[in-house]
Amino acid sequence: MSIILGIETSCDETGAAIVRGGQEVLVNLVASQVDVHREFGGVVPEIASRQHTTVISQLVRKALDETSEVPDAVAVTAGPGLMGSLLVGLSYAKALALAWEKPCVAVNHLEGHIFSAFLGDPKPTFPFLALLVSGGHTMLLDCRAPHDYEMLGTTRDDAVGESFDKVARLIGLGYPGGPAIQKAAEQGDPSALALPRAMRKRGNLDFSYSGLKTAVLYALRDNPDLNPADVAASFQEAAVDMLIQKCLQAIEETGAGRLVIAGGVAANKRLRERAYQDLPVDVFIPPFAYCLDNGAMIAAAGDSLLEHGCIANLRQTANPAMPLTAMA
Ligand code: KG4
Ligand code: ZN
């Protein structure tokens, strides 16, 4: 069983983790930059790269100090994400692997999210459907086998996490928007505002979230006295409803028996509740800590890639738009 050091720096979290056998997390450290970016209302790419540069060495050293295990390989996110941020982690990982004379494995961040499902209990087995919901992506995938994925549907405009962030800004809640909307929604009435559920009955499995955001914008323009908690609760219910409807459709069309939900939005309590309650399949959602960006999920995906002989060389570069399904 391999011991993998996983490094994640694609956006605004620096992650370093050590995982045994792709499933057992020995150490998982995350240095969040949220406080640094908050005053700007979103992630500032140049500041993100600098922050990664400042903390990465200490974070990896701390992770190594917290276990007596010695890594067999270094796995690192090579894309998609912010170019400068990706390059910090990738350059660091390549240099470390070279110095240690150990393999370096380049991991697609989205594949990392899929593999986060193996860090929880119970664990799924392939094949399964995956709903991948983050700040930059909304995808339904048919995961046939490790590294063999077919895209069934994706967003035509905003990602669902992005819509949480934008609506949070509209109603004056802080950044990041997802947790802020969830918290405000606890005090609100989800039926206070009638919001559209885009493409609910349409044939394909694509998503669209910009209409929902615009509906919130118009509702606030027409009625500035709306209670922010009611807006948050109504928006959250509509956003979650759209995800559940598409999952139901995908389950019906494919006959799948298992569904994984991963990515930052999978941390949403209402989505977790609705998924376990309404989807007629075995649902696997990682524990909260592994939904948000972290190094453990990169180590888990890296473990499987290593087993499949996917080892990076020194020419490996970062790809901010790295596609997931081209990897198969
Ligand atoms: O996967 P992630 O950490 O980073 C990306 O790969 O994008 O996802 C971040 C996204 C943000 O849009 C954030 O607002 C959203 O996940 N998010 C949530 C929750 N926690 C984080 N959305 C809804 N409810 C939450 N509890
Ligand atoms: Zn992510």
Side-chain angles (χ1 to χ4, degrees):
M1 245 193 270
S2 300
I3 304 281
I4 311 283
L5 167 65
I7 296 177
E8 154 63 34
T9 64
S10 68
C11 190
D12 60 345
E13 325 274 1
T14 318
I18 298 175
V19 175
R20 186 186 354 239
Q23 302 194 341
E24 189 193 343
V25 181
L26 305 178
V27 188
N28 184 41
L29 303 179
V30 177
S32 174
Q33 304 179 3
V34 162
D35 292 340
V36 184
H37 297 287
R38 185 170 283 125
E39 65 174 295
F40 303 100
V43 179
V44 182
E46 176 63 14
I47 296 177
S49 322
R50 290 179 190 212
Q51 283 290 119
H52 288 305
T53 310
T54 306
V55 305
I56 193 163
S57 299
Q58 302 153 33
L59 199 73
V60 170
R61 173 152 304 275
K62 190 155 185 278
L64 293 168
D65 284 349
E66 284 189 17
T67 169
S68 54
E69 301 286 353
V70 178
D72 300 302
V74 185
V76 61
T77 307
L82 301 170
M83 188 51 150
S85 293
L86 288 166
L87 282 173
V88 175
L90 183 63
S91 310
Y92 187 89
K94 284 197 292 187
L96 195 58
L98 185 70
W100 281 353
E101 298 181 356
K102 298 276 169 73
C104 179
V105 183
V107 176
N108 183 305
H109 180 82
L110 305 177
E111 184 161 44
H113 277 302
I114 295 171
F115 272 79
S116 68
F118 297 102
L119 302 176
D121 272 307
K123 302 177 195 311
T125 49
F126 286 96
F128 52 77
L129 291 180
L131 174 71
L132 213 155
V133 278
S134 70
H137 296 85
T138 310
M139 291 177 173
L140 257 169
L141 297 157
D142 183 4
C143 302
R144 294 183 283 229
H147 324 300
D148 178 8
Y149 314 118
E150 185 193 348
M151 175 104 75
L152 303 177
T154 186
T155 181
R156 295 183 175 186
D157 39 58
D158 294 349
V160 60
E162 188 182 354
S163 77
F164 270 85
D165 295 331
K166 287 181 176 171
V167 168
R169 208 172 305 152
L170 287 178
I171 50 183
L173 301 173
Y175 160 86
I181 295 253
Q182 176 178 297
K183 188 157 188 291
E186 283 166 15
Q187 314 299 326
D189 172 7
S191 57
L193 262 184
L195 293 169
R197 269 72 164 156
M199 294 190 291
R200 206 170 155 174
K201 300 247 164 1
R202 291 263 194 89
N204 68 36
L205 289 167
D206 283 343
F207 301 85
S208 169
Y209 275 92
S210 74
L212 178 57
K213 172 198 64 193
T214 308
V216 173
L217 178 73
Y218 288 164
L220 286 166
R221 188 193 57 187
D222 297 343
N223 188 355
D225 297 330
L226 280 171
N227 173 4
D230 286 346
V231 180
S234 303
F235 163 77
Q236 177 176 261
E237 200 59 32
V240 167
D241 206 22
M242 282 155 65
L243 295 175
I244 296 292
Q245 294 303 329
K246 287 290 171 189
C247 288
L248 281 169
Q249 190 183 329
I251 291 164
E252 202 179 294
E253 285 177 15
T254 59
R258 290 178 286 274
L259 181 122
V260 161
I261 306 185
V265 182
N268 185 270
K269 283 192 198 150
R270 184 63 183 142
L271 174 60
R272 298 168 83 96
E273 197 174 81
R274 288 281 312 272
Y276 288 124
Q277 182 183 297
D278 297 344
L279 299 178
V281 289
D282 292 332
V283 173
F284 301 86
I285 313 178
F288 290 101
Y290 303 132
C291 291
L292 302 173
D293 291 348
N294 64 87
M297 68 184 197
I298 302 304
D303 187 277
S304 175
L305 286 162
L306 184 67
E307 222 172 79
H308 285 75
C310 301
I311 296 172
N313 61 33
L314 282 178
R315 287 189 302 277
Q316 175 72 46
T317 189
N319 180 356
M322 184 184 273
L324 177 64
T325 44
M327 314 180 56

